């Protein structure tokens, strides 16, 4: 019975979040207009200046844009949760006959849907500016699976951060200072072999590079590539670590 109630409550929270998005469509700017801007800017500003061996720059670029957007969308879960905590919405939920963990699962599943929208929008825009994936349907499906696993793990990182940080504004600044440098110090936009040795060692082993390389290999070649295991280990490891941490931090914050 508890599992059935939890599923029902989670679905209700997803519906609530989707209605919120429908009434406040600017919540989709980070998964629609922002990635479109990045695709166009990098395609036409840097596309002619960065040579990529074996493929075009736009083909190389798209995996990085995909993963960057998924990363920001995943961690942004914490900002939306922090808004609900700040505005008193969570206190209203606590007064209802529902499982409180469904607030978090509903939020993270909603952000998975936002991530899927982002991938769809970027794929269309990429095709319009010259992106030509060669990995086939199977490669595309597997790359989406890797990205959504990574994004779901990061959404629980966001839950933990949103429960621990006092204001959404502070969390937004923290996300920007964390995710943005990690994205640029990776293989998302340029090959890591062009970086200084001290930076290259870090860039080649951090999770955004591993996930980006795996996604790129799937969409361009239809094969997993050598980084698929480390990428999945990072994603699953983050989920295993931050799922209980997020639940603990949320319960600690809402029990006061």
């Amino acid at each position: 019975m508890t599992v059935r109630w939890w599923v029902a409550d989670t679905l209700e929270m997803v519906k609530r979040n989707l209605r919120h998005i429908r009434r406040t469509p600017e919540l989709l700017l980070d998964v629609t207009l922002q990635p479109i801007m990045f695709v166009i800017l990098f395609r036409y500003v840097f596309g002619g200046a960065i040579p990529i061996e074996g493929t075009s720059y736009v083909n190389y670029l798209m995996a990085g844009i995909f993963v960057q957007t998924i990363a920001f969308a995943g961690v942004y879960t914490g900002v939306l949760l922090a808004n609900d905590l700040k505005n008193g919405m969570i206190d209203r939920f606590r007064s209802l006959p529902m499982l409180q963990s469904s607030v978090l699962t509903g939020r993270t599943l909603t952000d998975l849907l936002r991530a899927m929208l982002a991938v769809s929008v970027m794929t269309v825009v990429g095709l319009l500016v010259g992106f030509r994936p060669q990995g086939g349907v199977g490669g595309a499906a597997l790359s989406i699976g890797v990205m959504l696993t990574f994004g779901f793990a990061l959404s629980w990182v966001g839950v933990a951060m949103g429960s621990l940080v006092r204001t959404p504004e502070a969390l937004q600044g923290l996300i920007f200072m964390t995710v943005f440098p990690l994205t640029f110090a990776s293989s998302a936009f340029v090959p890591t072999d062009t970086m200084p040795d001290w930076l290259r060692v870090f860039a080649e082993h951090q999770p955004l590079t591993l996930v980006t390389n795996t996604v790129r290999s799937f969409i361009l070649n239809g094969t997993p590539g050598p980084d698929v295991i480390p990428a999945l280990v990072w994603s699953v490891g983050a989920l295993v670590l931050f799922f209980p941490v997020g639940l603990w931090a949320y319960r600690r914050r809402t029990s006061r």
Side-chain angles (χ1 to χ4, degrees):
M1 292 291 291
T2 301
V3 173
R4 189 174 71 182
W5 290 340
W6 173 73
V7 171
D9 291 344
T10 296
L11 292 178
E12 286 301 319
M13 291 306 304
V14 171
K15 293 177 184 177
R16 175 258 176 183
N17 295 333
L18 292 177
R19 285 194 295 268
H20 189 200
I21 291 174
R22 184 182 65 187
R23 294 168 183 169
T24 316
E26 55 267 28
L27 291 174
L28 293 177
L29 290 178
D30 63 317
V31 293
T32 53
L33 294 183
Q34 180 176 303
I36 290 173
M37 178 186 68
F38 270 101
V39 170
I40 294 175
L41 284 177
F42 276 85
R43 167 68 177 90
Y44 293 108
V45 174
F46 298 110
I50 303 176
I52 302 296
E53 184 178 354
T55 188
S56 64
Y57 181 69
V58 66
N59 282 347
Y60 182 90
L61 168 71
M62 289 307 300
I65 298 290
F66 284 142
V67 175
Q68 180 196 50
T69 304
I70 293 295
F72 271 109
V75 184
Y76 196 75
T77 300
V79 176
L80 300 176
L81 177 62
N83 270 322
D84 283 343
L85 287 165
K86 180 181 179 181
N87 296 332
M89 185 60 66
I90 300 300
D91 292 331
R92 297 184 183 183
F93 291 150
R94 292 178 63 198
S95 68
L96 298 176
M98 58 182 287
L99 293 173
Q100 293 304 307
S101 61
S102 64
V103 175
L104 304 183
T105 52
R107 168 56 60 196
T108 54
L109 289 177
T110 303
D111 288 325
L112 268 187
L113 297 177
R114 295 173 70 248
M116 293 173 66
L117 172 63
V119 171
S120 301
V121 169
M122 286 186 291
T123 299
V124 172
V125 175
L127 291 172
L128 292 175
V129 299
F131 174 50
R132 297 296 180 264
Q134 300 169 341
V137 176
L142 290 171
S143 70
I144 291 173
V146 171
M147 286 188 285
L148 293 184
T149 301
F150 184 58
F152 188 63
L154 288 182
S155 69
W156 284 98
V157 177
V159 166
M161 295 170 66
S163 300
L164 294 172
V165 176
R166 291 295 178 182
T167 65
E169 295 79 12
L171 183 54
Q172 285 180 317
L174 182 61
I175 290 172
F176 183 83
M177 290 188 297
T178 304
V179 179
F180 211 67
L182 283 176
T183 302
F184 280 89
S186 73
S187 65
F189 306 126
V190 295
T192 55
D193 57 13
T194 63
M195 300 178 183
D197 290 342
W198 60 270
L199 180 60
R200 178 173 54 81
V201 172
F202 167 77
E204 289 179 348
H205 295 89
Q206 61 123 320
L208 266 72
T209 290
L210 299 172
V211 174
T212 299
N213 289 346
T214 301
V215 170
R216 184 176 290 129
S217 183
F218 273 129
I219 61 179
L220 294 184
N221 306 317
T223 59
D227 292 331
V228 62
I229 299 300
L232 292 177
V233 168
W234 269 104
S235 298
V236 175
L239 181 59
V240 169
L241 174 62
F242 283 97
F243 179 81
V245 170
L247 288 176
W248 170 81
Y250 176 78
R251 287 171 179 166
R252 180 174 179 268
R253 176 79 176 271
T254 57
S255 63
R256 296 175 180 176

